[in-house]
Amino acid sequence: MKAGVFDSGIGGLTVVKSLLGHKLFDEIIYYGDTARVPYGSKDKNTIIRYSLEVSEFFKNFDIDILIVACNTVSAYALEELRDSINIPVVGVIEAGVLSLENQIKNKKSNILILGTKATINSKKYKLALEEKQYQNITSIATGLFVPIVEEGLEKTQILDKTLEYYFKDLNNIDAVILGCTHFPLIENKISSFLNNAKTIHSGEAIVEFLEKNYNCHQKHTETKLNFFASENPDSLKKVAVKWLGIKNLII
Ligand code: DGL
């Protein structure tokens, strides 16, 4: 099975990491719209337009499924992508909500949703959780985490101060949805700042979702990887080598 993975930039590699870890696909075609990232500060129409343009790229490949790794695109453009491309299109929000539901049974638990400004403004996670009767939901747009990860500042005081800035008024958080591709890279820092709150990781959630709903199962062969980007694909490939811990890229 061949999957397309779409992200606004490099962050979706965190989802690829989970897909590789579980060996769900024979081949993955990754596309990062690095020329136009970030999507998280754009408006709805722009996010939809960019997403539809990217779907044209994927039509050049014979993919069986399109995985939208980007939370921002998952919040705004899933329906449009489904209308545009004639294969299953899965997003990370539905998967994340189901994963949370599997792990957090008490509907009075304190749930924290983190994401880009666009994802938080869409209220997609919040409404889906309310529909499942969760009562104590807090949402925060934590966009500063994105450049902190991209600049490799995870181990600096800049991250510590930013965590303090965003989270200083929070108490007793039970679970936190890492509603942005970059946040799994600072998962431990976020969780320990919040007294070891449980974390919901888009990559692991989508694996669970694919296994359950799309009959995807662990393969015995390595996944062939292809990386494309709208700008500077070599830089994306370098990040892929680093984040995914892979030695050779089949390009
Ligand atoms: N990939 C985006 C997301 O998961 C984060 C980066 C951006 O703003 O484009 O929402």
Side-chain angles (χ1 to χ4, degrees):
M1 206 171 169
K2 198 191 223 185
V5 176
F6 166 29
D7 184 50
S8 55
I10 58 173
L13 294 169
T14 57
V15 171
V16 172
K17 188 164 189 164
S18 299
L19 298 173
L20 288 181
H22 294 263
K23 293 189 181 171
L24 288 197
F25 297 105
D26 301 304
E27 187 168 355
I28 289 175
I29 311 284
Y30 183 94
Y31 184 88
D33 194 2
T34 47
R36 304 191 288 195
V37 70
Y39 280 19
S41 53
K42 308 276 188 314
D43 74 6
K44 179 180 175 182
N45 289 339
T46 304
I47 296 163
I48 292 174
R49 178 161 56 86
Y50 286 178
S51 302
L52 290 178
E53 285 168 14
V54 172
S55 79
E56 293 304 313
F57 168 83
F58 280 109
K59 288 178 188 168
N60 296 313
F61 301 88
D62 199 15
I63 55 172
D64 301 296
I65 189 165
L66 178 62
I67 296 168
V68 179
C70 182
N71 280 265
T72 305
V73 173
S74 299
Y76 287 98
L78 269 199
E79 288 314 313
E80 288 77 1
L81 283 170
R82 285 180 179 139
D83 288 344
S84 149
I85 195 165
N86 206 10
I87 49 166
V89 177
V90 292
V92 282
I93 295 185
E94 190 184 359
V97 168
L98 286 177
S99 172
L100 181 126
E101 205 186 5
N102 286 338
Q103 296 180 55
I104 305 291
K105 301 291 176 199
N106 181 353
K107 304 288 180 179
K108 292 198 171 119
S109 300
N110 290 316
I111 313 291
L112 175 64
I113 304 165
L114 305 179
T116 62
K117 204 176 271 178
T119 299
I120 297 302
N121 285 345
S122 78
K123 297 194 169 70
K124 278 280 154 65
Y125 275 112
K126 186 169 187 278
L127 293 173
L129 290 173
E130 281 171 355
E131 210 164 279
K132 302 210 177 268
Q133 318 300 330
Y134 288 96
Q135 294 157 32
N136 298 314
I137 304 166
T138 306
S139 305
I140 314 183
T142 53
L144 285 175
F145 290 151
V146 174
I148 287 175
V149 167
E150 295 216 355
E151 294 295 323
L153 302 175
E154 301 94 319
K155 293 196 176 111
T156 66
Q157 280 196 1
I158 296 174
L159 177 58
D160 298 335
K161 296 267 185 237
T162 310
L163 287 162
E164 169 77 24
Y165 171 73
Y166 284 135
F167 298 158
K168 61 182 177 312
D169 298 326
L170 298 174
N171 286 312
N172 305 322
I173 296 297
D174 298 300
V176 47
I177 295 186
L178 304 172
C180 173
T181 45
H182 291 61
F183 301 172
L185 289 152
I186 49 170
E187 182 171 13
N188 291 342
K189 287 271 197 168
I190 292 174
S191 174
S192 65
F193 196 97
L194 298 169
N195 291 321
N196 298 324
K198 209 176 244 313
T199 46
I200 306 297
H201 177 308
S202 295
E204 295 305 308
I206 205 100
V207 165
E208 225 176 295
F209 190 78
L210 291 167
E211 286 176 339
K212 200 162 165 218
N213 299 294
Y214 289 89
N215 210 16
C216 294
H217 297 293
Q218 182 145 6
K219 305 242 179 314
H220 298 291
T221 50
E222 293 303 315
T223 308
K224 185 178 173 200
L225 292 168
N226 306 269
F227 293 102
F228 298 91
S230 50
E231 183 179 272
N232 207 344
D234 286 343
S235 152
L236 181 119
K237 285 173 197 164
K238 273 189 199 130
V239 179
V241 168
K242 190 172 153 208
W243 287 8
L244 303 176
I246 44 178
K247 287 186 198 79
N248 301 309
L249 283 178
I250 305 161
I251 298 159

